[in-house]
Amino acid sequence: MKIGIDKIGFATSNYVLKLNDLAAARATDPEKLSKGLLLKELSIAPLTEDIITLGAAAADPILKSEDKEKIDMVIVATESSIDQSKAAAVFIHGLLAIQPFARSFEIKEACYGATAALDYAKLHIEKYPDSKVLVIASDIAKYGINTPGEPTQGAGAIAMLISKDPRILIFNEDNVAQTRDVMDFWRPNYSTTPYVNGLYSTQQYLDCLKTTWDEYQKRHKLSLKDFAAYCFHLPYPKLALKGLNKIMDKSLPQEQQDQLKENFEKSILYSQKVGNIYTGSLFLGLLSLLENSDNLKACDKIALFSYGSGAVAEIFSVSLVPGYENQLSRTRLEELDQRQALSVEEYEHIFFAEAELDAEGNASFSGYEDQSFALAEIAEHQRKYIKVEKSS
């Protein structure tokens, strides 16, 4: 049975911070961000936008009524959870009006969670081939004002509809995962921002890539020559570039090395304008590759490296389906250019605002008219979400 991604959707916030402006405000050389990180812009989420609204906004445009009848599982992968008990998937299931007899739950393992969700979804479709699974990776990366991680923040969600006989790509049966108990990045319950050992995390990312890739090649008798492209988890694109350079096979014909490098450049275009979206970063890179590469074709194999701090890594591959390009957008870069640019002062106010609850746990919000879904109020500590009706 061929199982894979039938549809992909993406959503991000309507606000953007230009990193040249941030560099000026922080008295930093702008090339430290544009060249040192390969980043240009960051999506900035207001208080009315969170993993629920972003996840719903990513999924809603790609789902038809027949999809919602066949979806019997909704999985949200996130490390930006808004509730320690109720899963984000339950909120989104309701907002999207998916048929009631569906499992809905949340998965967490730093930025790796969406890959685990895809593994689970694939197993489910194998057992129930007429069903569909909605996998959403939704996160807001927030490090704090004037912190080392500030230029790598971001917000967004990727939605993937998993089914048999998919129209975009097929999962190959070649996953290799690795787990290490390390403390390179973590966020205790009492902290709103993470703790990061930056250099150590970079080392873990690159070493997990190399050792997992070595094991992958050993188990499956495959090498870089078998792939048209390689997608990486993108906490910031320069780290992924280091990863590509680390595994690049110099014995490959120059033409194939050039193709891998060109496809890497296409895979980072969206992340350069959105920033880090944690669980969705790898798949935002995949989407960017598919929507912008000129040299991919049906049946091409793409390798993917997933990494979540703490740490879990996984390498797997997918194969493109004939006609895959018909399921994609060609206007996404232009749409990203329509976001409202913020000053640094506006960004600091909007991105780090927190709900001010009264004694009964109530707060109401406004200013979300341009969103697809919104956190409209908190009533007695209960978050209330709405689908925003657009005026004609």
Side-chain angles (χ1 to χ4, degrees), residues 293-315:
S293 174
D294 296 323
N295 59 43
L296 292 176
K297 60 185 183 301
C299 302
D300 274 351
K301 291 179 71 172
I302 300 170
L304 297 97
F305 170 63
S306 179
Y307 177 82
S309 291
V312 179
E314 186 165 332
I315 290 174

Side-chain angles (χ1 to χ4, degrees), residues 96-345:
L96 297 179
I98 291 169
Q99 63 89 14
F101 298 100
R103 291 186 180 93
S104 298
F105 57 96
E106 199 171 297
I107 281 183
K108 181 190 74 177
E109 177 12 57
C111 300
Y112 165 78
T115 300
L118 292 180
D119 292 343
Y120 197 110
K122 180 172 64 176
L123 292 171
H124 181 78
I125 300 297
E126 285 175 356
K127 190 170 183 179
Y128 304 101
D130 291 329
S131 70
K132 297 183 180 184
V133 178
L134 178 61
V135 171
I136 295 174
S138 187
D139 267 304
I140 296 175
K142 190 177 295 188
Y143 293 100
I145 296 171
N146 218 4
T147 61
E150 185 180 26
T152 67
Q153 298 175 129
I158 291 281
M160 296 170 279
L161 187 64
I162 312 306
S163 72
K164 70 174 182 180
D165 301 325
R167 290 174 291 177
I168 296 178
L169 57 82
I170 296 165
F171 299 132
N172 298 320
E173 300 292 331
D174 58 2
N175 301 51
V176 175
Q178 177 182 174
T179 296
R180 298 178 176 185
D181 185 3
V182 296
M183 297 296 287
D184 59 328
F185 175 107
W186 67 102
R187 182 168 71 84
N189 287 339
Y190 50 78
S191 178
T192 58
T193 54
Y195 293 85
V196 186
N197 187 337
L199 178 59
Y200 184 55
S201 190
T202 295
Q203 293 168 343
Q204 288 296 318
Y205 176 104
L206 294 173
D207 194 60
C208 279
L209 168 62
K210 184 179 187 307
T211 54
T212 310
W213 178 235
D214 289 346
E215 182 67 17
Y216 177 91
Q217 294 177 95
K218 176 183 172 183
R219 290 191 192 183
H220 300 294
K221 312 304 179 188
L222 295 168
S223 64
L224 211 51
K225 67 178 175 59
D226 298 299
F227 299 96
Y230 209 125
C231 289
F232 299 83
H233 169 50
L234 295 165
Y236 55 92
K238 188 61 173 285
L239 179 55
L241 178 59
K242 291 179 181 179
L244 177 64
N245 291 335
K246 192 173 187 70
I247 65 168
M248 180 60 74
D249 183 352
K250 302 300 183 182
S251 69
L252 286 175
Q254 190 61 48
E255 183 180 1
Q256 188 173 9
Q257 291 189 50
D258 291 343
Q259 180 186 5
L260 288 166
K261 292 174 182 175
E262 179 183 344
N263 281 334
F264 173 81
E265 293 296 328
K266 300 298 185 182
S267 76
I268 66 174
L269 289 175
Y270 296 163
S271 292
Q272 287 183 311
K273 298 175 77 67
V274 172
N276 190 359
I277 59 169
Y278 288 157
T279 52
S281 293
L282 168 62
F283 303 101
L284 182 59
L286 174 63
L287 182 64
S288 182
L289 170 70
L290 296 181
E291 293 187 340
N292 294 286
S293 174
D294 296 323
N295 59 43
L296 292 176
K297 60 185 183 301
C299 302
D300 274 351
K301 291 179 71 172
I302 300 170
L304 297 97
F305 170 63
S306 179
Y307 177 82
S309 291
V312 179
E314 186 165 332
I315 290 174
F316 61 105
S317 77
V318 300
S319 295
L320 296 178
V321 173
Y324 75 92
E325 64 276 5
N326 297 325
Q327 308 303 317
L328 302 168
S329 168
R330 298 297 181 186
T331 61
R332 214 173 297 274
L333 285 171
E334 291 84 351
E335 291 166 7
L336 287 171
D337 286 338
Q338 300 304 309
R339 291 170 296 171
Q340 179 180 335
L342 299 176
S343 68
V344 173
E345 183 179 9

